[in-house]
Amino acid sequence: MSAAVLAIDAGQTGIKVRVREHDIVFPGIRTGEPLIPQLAAVARAAIERTGAEVSVVSAGVSGLTTRESDAAAFLARIDDAAVREVILAHDSTTSFLGALGDARGAVVAAGTGVVTLAVGASRVARVDGWGYLMGDAGSGYWIGREALDAVMREYDGRGPATALRPVAEERWPDLSQAYIHLQSDPERVSVIASFAAHVSRLATEGDAVSQDITVRAGGELAHSVETALRRVRSDEPGEHFAACAIGGVFRSPRLREAFASHIAASEFDVTLVEPLGHGIDGAAALAGLAPQHPLAHAVSIAHA
């Protein structure tokens, strides 16, 4: 039997691994610990569990930094004589490959955070993905933060009434103390992002504040796509792009409608399409990425 490719799609909520016919899920990345030892431990565990002879390990990693993108260190940590090559990429790269393959276009992946990647004839552009403190416009966190801001505006008398207030009061009966509890909560990012689901539901039920937040989120996400496409377009006449929206935020019908409306009104010849596959498919595709592909410059590769 020929040697196999072991693909890794590594996020904070879970690490998905695929080798041959086996799909395995491991606990997510621990952001307070070094990344490479964690990825290597997952690769070794998957090889041991499946008994596969793996020649290539390819990984798409959430929030991969320049400092952590060290394929040679990853290869050394795996310490398996059969593994001859490892490939490391940011998960925006593998999300794009999984969703659009070789097509020109943009993929916006929006969950708790958000990142957009566009690929043109020769250029690649990443937009946002700068984390909840500095960016992630239109993400689940952004929506939740806008929701809580609206709640406190109503509480103070600075803003209109909203059905989001009783949702917040269910969690913090005394809203005057909510900020204290939230700031001291180690899970505050996920707590804030959890309000995005309430915004989606209440927007559907007619809450005007939730509808406004949802529409603005869709506009922010579309703006990121348009910005990314503007940076990669060529001078070719009739250039066409595909755009793909993935992630839990897009489960909101009103948000997706607002996003689609902005995209349809953009200056580009762009079609919204459904994803061909998932991030793990994109991680597997890294192994076959042609050297001349624009995304080839966005990966770190090491050979034994």
Side-chain angles (χ1 to χ4, degrees), residues 28-117:
I29 297 169
R30 300 178 296 279
T31 55
E33 300 177 20
L35 172 67
I36 296 300
Q38 295 180 66
L39 293 178
V42 166
R44 291 195 302 269
I47 291 170
E48 181 178 353
R49 188 178 302 185
T50 62
E53 183 179 347
V54 171
S55 61
V56 178
V57 177
S58 59
V61 184
S62 173
L64 184 69
T65 65
T66 302
R67 178 177 56 84
E68 295 168 324
S69 187
D70 188 343
F74 187 21
L75 177 61
R77 281 274 185 175
I78 294 173
D79 192 26
D80 186 318
V83 177
R84 310 301 297 171
E85 180 181 55
V86 298
I87 310 167
L88 270 175
H90 191 274
D91 67 341
S92 60
T93 296
T94 48
S95 290
F96 186 97
L97 290 171
L100 289 183
D102 287 333
R104 295 185 196 181
V107 173
V108 53
T112 297
V114 61
V115 64
T116 298
L117 190 74

